[in-house]
Amino acid sequence: MLTVDFTRFPLAPGDRVLDLGCGAGRHAFECYRRGARVVALDRNGEEIREVAKWFAAMKEAGEAPAGATATAMEGDALNLPFPDASFDVVIISEVMEHIPDDKGVLAEMVRVLKPGGRIAVTVPRYGPEKVCWALSDAYHEVEGGHIRIYKADELLGRMREAGLKPYGTHHAHGLHSPYWWLKCAFGVDNDKALPVRAYHKLLVWDIMKKPAATQLAERALNPLIGKSFVAYATKPHLPRAAAGAPADAKAGA
């Protein structure tokens, strides 16, 4: 289940991609299938080991084209182990709402992104997320849980402050908001409640079969109750003088 829409966020074979806070690796796997040179990074060592196993299985099965590479590694989002301008593309999906120093994370992403590179940021959408918080303290008051709810303008403003130029937004996973509302209402750890189990079966069916009815329903619901807010941006090229033009050119002789 992808949150980033790759029709709006083009990826070219050979692009070097950082999936920051990759979790189970869903976006990293898609980038690998599209021929990118992928680095999947997360602080959770157990998840990283699973992602590495899946990368190996994909390579063995021939799911990635020639030239594509994939690396899974542990790391700190606030201290990325990469030189400046290392990546053509950075993806950070459903991560920033967990991190106290979100401005620091944005600064690190901008640092490792090449001028002209592209970044995709996804976070829980304000409205559906507020409902979850109102229904259940356990939903967010856990170690490593959500510590803030972003309004769209707030997130875009922070991206601009970090030096990025947003170029597009949308909402995703409209079918998933009611599921999380049910989870919060019946208990986030209570998977046995009948409404929760029934709705979960619907979501699994949708993900596996992609029937036209649910695809149409999701597109209709996304603008209204989409669970995620997705923002795309570029890192502008530096003016020529700032980028290191010859001294006589800087002087404007």
Side-chain angles (χ1 to χ4, degrees):
M1 183 187 72
L2 299 175
T3 307
V4 172
D5 181 351
F6 286 94
T7 66
R8 309 180 196 219
F9 189 66
L11 191 68
D15 276 351
R16 191 154 192 243
V17 178
L18 173 62
D19 185 3
L20 181 56
C22 64
R26 57 202 173 102
H27 289 105
F29 300 149
E30 181 64 20
C31 294
Y32 189 33
R33 291 187 187 99
R34 290 171 177 262
R37 296 174 292 154
V38 183
V39 176
L41 183 144
D42 200 283
R43 65 182 297 179
N44 186 315
E46 184 176 340
E47 286 195 313
I48 282 298
R49 287 187 286 275
E50 284 299 311
V51 170
K53 289 178 184 178
W54 278 105
F55 278 150
M58 291 172 68
K59 182 177 181 180
E60 181 70 21
E63 289 189 35
T69 63
T71 303
M73 61 185 295
E74 289 185 58
D76 180 358
L78 289 165
N79 187 23
L80 295 174
F82 311 111
D84 296 355
S86 298
F87 294 93
D88 303 290
V89 172
V90 176
I91 296 170
I92 184 166
S93 183
E94 311 299 302
V95 173
M96 287 181 56
E97 67 276 9
H98 296 273
I99 300 176
D101 187 7
D102 57 344
K103 291 183 179 180
V105 171
L106 277 168
E108 271 293 87
M109 289 190 290
V110 171
R111 180 184 68 78
V112 302
L113 186 64
K114 294 178 181 178
R118 303 172 304 286
I119 187 167
V121 180
T122 91
V123 297
R125 185 182 185 177
Y126 183 83
E129 185 76 348
K130 284 287 283 186
V131 173
C132 288
W133 283 43
L135 289 171
S136 171
D137 290 337
Y139 171 80
H140 63 96
E141 290 183 357
V142 294
E143 184 178 355
H146 299 184
I147 62 171
R148 70 175 64 83
I149 308 176
Y150 288 100
K151 292 184 177 180
D153 288 346
E154 177 189 5
L155 178 62
L156 293 172
R158 294 194 185 190
M159 292 171 71
R160 292 187 182 99
E161 289 172 6
L164 295 167
K165 184 177 181 180
Y167 69 83
T169 66
H170 65 89
H171 300 100
H173 309 318
L175 287 175
H176 287 249
S177 289
Y179 171 72
W180 282 102
W181 296 339
L182 287 170
K183 287 271 287 181
C184 290
F186 285 92
V188 290
D189 296 321
N190 180 12
D191 294 325
K192 295 182 179 180
L194 180 59
V196 174
R197 287 191 290 116
Y199 204 102
H200 185 261
K201 287 182 179 180
L202 170 68
L203 293 180
V204 171
W205 178 64
D206 171 58
I207 292 169
M208 299 300 295
K209 301 296 184 180
K210 294 182 172 58
T214 55
Q215 298 297 296
L216 288 170
E218 178 120 302
R219 283 198 290 271
L221 289 171
N222 279 342
L224 302 172
I225 58 169
K227 183 74 170 66
S228 295
F229 174 71
V230 188
Y232 305 109
T234 59
K235 178 179 177 178
H237 287 277
L238 293 173
R240 189 175 173 204
D248 57 346
K250 293 181 184 179

